[in-house]
Amino acid sequence: MKNIVVTGGAGFIGSNFVHYIVENHPDIHVTVLDKLTYAGNRANLAGLPEDRVRLVVGDILDANLVDELVSKADAVVHYAAESHNDNSLIDPSPFIQTNIVGTYTLLEACRKYDVRYHHISTDEVYGDLPLRDSEGNGAKFEPESRYNPSSPYSSSKASSDLLVRAWVRSFGLRATISNCSNNYGPYQHIEKFIPRQITNILSGIRPKLYGSGTNVRDWIHTNDHSRAVWSILNKGKIGETYLIGANGEKNNKEVLEMILELMNKSKDDYDLVKDRPGHDMRYAIDSTKLREELGWKPEYTDFKSGLKHTIDWYTEHEDWWKAEKSEVEAKYAKNGQ
Ligand code: NAD
Ligand code: TDX
C-alpha cells in the first residue's frame, strides 16, 4: 500500500489520521479529498510535507473526481461526513446526500478499480443503551448488535454501513468497517460538546448542558482511533466490522464538571438547557475483537490528563476557533440550547 485517499481528511478525526500516517509511515502518500464544508479546515493540515500529502478540494458526490482519484489509489479510508447530530435535526438533507449517496459514489469507484476500502462509522448506528444498574453493570455494543439508529445523522451512517456490507457480499469489495465511540482531542469543531464548553469558558459564556446531563458517552482520544484504523486497514479481515472504544464511559455532567475544575471554575457554573430531541441515553463499546484479533489497545487511558491537554490546545489556538464562535453560539441560542 503506497497511495491512500483519505476523504474528510481536513476535518477533526480525518486530519488526525493524516498526521498519524505522516509521522509513523514514511512510505505512504496521502491524497485528501475534502469539500471544506464549515467543518473542514486547511489549517488542520498545515505544516505537513507537500510531497507526502496533497489536498484536493472537492465533493465525494462528484463521481468523475472520485473515479479519477480512486483509479490511482491502493486504498480509500472514508471519513468524510456530515457529523453533527444537532445539525441533522435542523436539516437532514446534507446528511442523506453526503453520508449515503457520497458513500455509494466511493463504493462504486472502489468496486470498478478493485481498491481496498475502509469505512469509518460510529457506535451510534446501534442506537442507545440503558444506564448502568445500581451495581454498575450494563450492556455494551458488540459488532453483531442490532442496528437501531435514532437521529437523521446516525440513521444516515447506518445506511452507509449497510451499503458497504452489501458491496462486500454482492460484489466482493475488499472492505472493512469500524464503528468508534465519541472522540476528543485537538481540532474538534466547536459545535461538539467538549470544545463547545471549553471555548464557552474561554469566551466568558456559561457552559450548556442538555437535559439533566445524565447521558453517558464512551470517550476515546482521537490518536487512539487513528492507530486502530491503521491496524484494521493493514491487518483487518475483509468483510469484518471492528468496534473501537477505550472503556471511557462518563456522563456529560461529570465531563463538564471536570472541564470546569481544570479551568479553575466552580463546579456548578453552567446552565441546564433544552434537551436534544430523541437524545441517546448511553453508548458503550466492547472492543474485545479489535484488542484480541489485532492487538490494539488505547494509549490515552487517563481521561483527565487527555482533557487537560485538549483544554490547553484550545487555550493556545484561539486563532483556530475564535472567528466562528459567535455564529455557532447564535445557532444554538436560536434553538434554545
Ligand atoms: P468533521 O465534521 O470534523 O469532519 C468532516 C469532514 O468531512 C470535513 O473536513 C468536511 O469538510 C468533510 N466533508 C463533509 N462533506 C463532504 C463531502 N460531501 N465531500 C467531501 N468532504 C466532505 O467530522 P469528524 O468528527 O472528524 O468525523 C469524521 C468521521 O468519523 C465521520 O464519518 C463520523 O461519522 C465518524 N465518527 C466520528 C466520531 C466523533 O466522535 N466525532 C465518532 C465516531 C465516528
Ligand atoms: O452543548 C452541548 N451540551 C450537551 O450536553 C452539546 C453540543 C452536547 N451535549 C451533549 C449531547 C451528548 O449527550 O453531550 C453529548 C455529546 O454531544 P456531541 O458532542 O454532539 O456528540 P454525540 O451526539 O454524542 O455524537 C458524537 O459521537 C459520535 C459525534 O458528534 C458523532 O459524529 C459520532 O458519530
Side-chain angles (χ1 to χ4, degrees):
M1 214 183 296
K2 287 257 178 278
N3 294 304
I4 301 185
V5 169
V6 176
T7 71
F12 165 46
I13 308 178
S15 66
N16 185 283
F17 182 70
V18 177
H19 280 268
Y20 167 80
I21 300 257
V22 169
E23 280 156 31
N24 296 282
H25 302 285
D27 45 337
I28 306 274
H29 182 274
V30 178
T31 302
V32 170
L33 171 58
D34 198 299
K35 190 180 170 183
L36 298 182
T37 66
Y38 79 95
N41 193 336
R42 276 177 196 279
N44 298 4
L45 300 170
L48 293 176
E50 279 171 24
D51 59 335
R52 303 271 323 275
V53 179
R54 176 166 79 112
L55 170 62
V56 176
V57 178
D59 197 324
I60 56 166
L61 287 153
D62 180 343
N64 291 332
L65 176 61
V66 165
D67 186 279
E68 184 199 326
L69 296 179
V70 171
S71 71
K72 296 177 204 136
D74 301 311
V76 171
V77 184
H78 176 35
Y79 287 90
E82 286 293 334
S83 68
H84 194 37
N85 275 299
D86 291 326
N87 292 344
S88 80
L89 295 163
I90 295 169
D91 178 12
S93 161
F95 290 77
I96 304 303
Q97 290 307 315
T98 288
N99 298 1
I100 304 177
V101 187
T103 297
Y104 160 74
T105 308
L106 289 161
L107 290 174
E108 280 295 78
C110 289
R111 168 159 89 105
K112 182 171 169 190
Y113 296 105
D114 186 25
V115 167
R116 172 81 170 87
Y117 173 87
H118 180 69
H119 186 69
I120 303 294
S121 192
T122 169
D123 56 0
E124 296 189 21
V125 298
Y126 297 115
D128 62 353
L129 298 161
L131 293 179
R132 286 178 178 274
D133 67 18
S134 52
E135 262 112 60
N137 298 312
K140 292 185 171 196
F141 297 132
E142 294 169 14
E144 293 75 27
S145 297
R146 186 170 71 95
Y147 271 43
N148 188 28
S150 314
S151 72
Y153 163 68
S154 52
S155 56
S156 69
K157 292 295 293 187
S159 308
S160 68
D161 292 12
L162 297 182
L163 292 178
V164 179
R165 289 181 181 198
W167 260 242
V168 170
R169 173 144 179 182
S170 301
F171 303 125
L173 186 77
R174 293 181 295 124
T176 40
I177 300 176
S178 56
N179 299 76
C180 188
S181 61
N182 283 62
N183 284 222
Y184 75 98
Y187 296 106
Q188 185 167 31
H189 195 275
I190 56 167
E191 68 191 354
K192 304 294 193 326
F193 178 59
I194 289 179
R196 183 182 183 204
Q197 313 313 334
I198 296 171
T199 55
N200 272 0
I201 295 170
L202 292 172
S203 308
I205 302 168
R206 278 162 70 87
K208 310 288 183 223
L209 195 58
Y210 293 174
S212 57
T214 48
N215 305 65
V216 171
R217 296 294 180 264
D218 188 354
W219 294 99
I220 181 171
H221 195 282
T222 191
N223 289 3
D224 283 330
H225 186 180
S226 292
R227 287 177 37 256
V229 169
W230 179 257
S231 298
I232 298 165
L233 185 64
N234 286 279
K235 297 188 279 180
K237 244 172 84 188
I238 297 303
E240 294 288 309
T241 288
Y242 295 87
L243 264 49
I244 308 174
N247 296 332
E249 279 182 70
K250 302 225 162 1
N251 77 33
N252 294 337
K253 188 161 172 281
E254 282 175 89
V255 174
L256 179 53
E257 286 177 353
M258 224 181 259
I259 294 172
L260 285 160
E261 185 202 324
L262 288 166
M263 296 181 77
N264 301 315
K265 296 281 174 193
S266 147
K267 258 173 78 168
D268 55 2
D269 202 359
Y270 62 84
D271 296 329
L272 289 175
V273 296
K274 200 179 86 183
D275 206 354
R276 173 184 285 172
H279 196 173
D280 281 341
M281 189 43 84
R282 172 174 164 258
Y283 305 139
I285 287 272
D286 179 345
S287 59
T288 309
K289 177 173 169 181
L290 176 67
R291 291 171 194 247
E292 290 186 352
E293 287 183 16
L294 305 187
W296 171 90
K297 61 177 195 298
E299 285 174 355
Y300 291 74
T301 47
D302 180 349
F303 178 72
K304 200 167 182 178
S305 146
L307 193 57
K308 165 94 179 63
H309 281 112
T310 306
I311 293 170
D312 290 346
W313 189 86
Y314 283 91
T315 309
E316 286 155 18
H317 292 82
E318 220 176 81
D319 54 327
W320 186 84
W321 57 266
K322 192 77 182 173
E324 275 177 292
K325 185 66 184 169
S326 56
E327 197 185 319
V328 170
E329 286 310 305
K331 190 168 169 188
Y332 275 123
K334 211 166 131 195
N335 218 25
Q337 293 177 318

